[in-house]
Amino acid sequence: MAACFIICYLPDRKVKPRYVSVMANSSPTTAASNILRVQYSSEKSHLLVDFAACVKPIHFNYNNVINFLEWMEFHKLMGVQRFTFFNHTIGPEVSCIMKEYGDEIEVLPWSLPFVSQKEIRTEGLFAALNDCVYRHRGASKYLVLVDLDEMIVPRRTHNYSMFIEQLDTLSNKKKIGAYSLQNAFFYLQWPNDQSVFKIEGNPLAEQVSKHLTMLRKTRRRSRLHPHKQRSKYICDPEKVIEAGNHFVWEMATGYFTLSVPPHLGTLHHYRVCEFGGDQCTKSPSIIDKSAHIFGQKLAIRVAEMLQSVTTKCKLDLKKILKPSNSSNNSETKSTARIKA
């Protein structure tokens, strides 16, 4: 099984169809079994935002409250204004939190009649990503395509608008259709960083900071993957013909993908060893604290949202903020202060 594009040729290009039907039998006597409304980019101008984000289908009853809030609030801090998720199986607590974000989040049902990883790859992620790209044409200037364990982290700017402005100076910005970021693995098996974030007047944020992956995991694999291998990207959806998971498979004529130099930004990928076991932790590694520049603001934002949804989503804060057994595995120590 595979995702595909269905091309409909119009006999009269002056007439813009409002609906289409997808049928296996083209006989004129066959009644249409589906009516699909055509969405045109020009009709979405009132929805236009600078940055939106797409995430591949969420599965395995994903229900990690802190990780989800960290991911959401980091991207909002970066300037992302709208999020599209595909719900294969999302846990009850995260599902409730998504509703509390209101119009910022769009959750689309995603249940395919195939066996994932056998008949089709990861819940048909390529169909979902391309659906999201075309859905955002005319609705967002730029689209961030990452997973829930990934964050594109600028190293010399403080949000994605500044980041894109910086990257556009590297080439002819009128021809750039996407920006590729090299993958950096921050393996979760490596010990936690023990940096202490003293956030005056906000004990909950200080407690939350001890549970944020971006702050705890600062040891990463030294070698970055080359572009197109594990990389992720930010794109202009109007310039993309076919989206892939790690790079744009086909760009509109005349446009190209800019390979972002790692000293300007990288993809932080927080996960266990990709092939199982702990062998990956023997790879050469370095300490990378580039995400700490956002740490205190991020902790405060996560704490505020956590406090806001606790009662509505029936969250158990003692369980969610339970001290980690691995927190004593310190590799680096430092103290940061901020007045809340």
Side-chain angles (χ1 to χ4, degrees), residues 94-113:
V94 168
S95 181
C96 177
I97 291 171
M98 285 181 170
K99 293 177 183 177
E100 292 304 312
Y101 275 102
D103 293 340
E104 293 177 282
I105 287 183
E106 178 183 35
V107 182
L108 301 172
W110 193 261
S111 180
L112 303 180

Side-chain angles (χ1 to χ4, degrees), residues 17 87 90 116 141 167 212 229 232 240 246 301 326:
N87 180 9
I90 300 176
S116 179
K141 293 180 181 178
L167 298 179
L212 299 183
Q229 292 183 23
K232 289 297 172 70
V240 175
H246 299 297
R301 294 177 69 109
S326 62

Side-chain angles (χ1 to χ4, degrees), residues 18 35 54 86 89 113 122 173 203 233 242 256 261 302 310 313 320:
R18 299 302 303 170
I35 304 292
C54 292
F86 296 86
T89 49
T122 318
K173 67 179 182 179
Y233 57 94
E242 187 173 3
F256 72 97
V302 172
T310 292
C313 296
I320 291 172

Side-chain angles (χ1 to χ4, degrees), residues 69-77 101 298 301-302:
L69 287 174
E70 177 182 14
W71 188 93
M72 278 293 300
E73 292 304 320
F74 171 76
H75 284 92
K76 289 186 66 177
L77 188 62
Y101 275 102
L298 181 60
R301 294 177 69 109
V302 172

Side-chain angles (χ1 to χ4, degrees), residues 65-66 93 211 306 310 315-322:
V65 169
I66 286 292
E93 293 176 343
H211 295 265
L306 183 62
T310 292
L315 304 181
D316 184 346
L317 285 187
K318 290 184 179 180
K319 181 179 178 181
I320 291 172
L321 299 177
K322 182 180 179 180

